[in-house]
Amino acid sequence: MYEYEIHQVRAAELIHRAEHSRLVREAREARRNRRAERRAASAGQDAEGRVNSPRSGRSRFARAA
């Protein structure tokens, strides 16, 4: 009977650890997503916006040799 109680306590501890690590992972992802959204908003463009601006003065194409 004692071994069964140890098993139940261990199983509950493992479940608690798994829930905690899942919550930490979700919090990290949410923080990363918020940070990316703020950067995109401060840049005034989407997360997948233009790479070169029309005012850069450089051509989009490589010069021919």
Side-chain angles (χ1 to χ4, degrees):
M1 192 64 175
Y2 182 70
E3 293 165 352
Y4 178 72
E5 291 174 1
I6 290 176
H7 171 71
Q8 282 187 325
V9 169
R10 178 72 176 150
E13 180 183 349
L14 289 174
I15 290 171
H16 179 71
R17 282 186 183 182
E19 289 175 355
H20 178 71
S21 61
R22 179 182 54 82
L23 286 173
V24 168
R25 185 176 59 245
E26 288 177 356
R28 275 191 205 135
E29 290 175 6
R31 186 176 351 141
R32 188 178 306 135
N33 291 338
R34 281 194 310 265
R35 198 176 308 152
E37 288 173 4
R38 269 186 277 155
R39 272 193 222 125
S42 68
Q45 61 186 9
D46 298 345
E48 297 184 15
R50 290 183 60 115
V51 175
N52 58 345
S53 67
R55 293 176 277 148
S56 66
R58 293 178 45 190
S59 175
R60 293 189 307 175
F61 305 105
R63 293 175 45 185

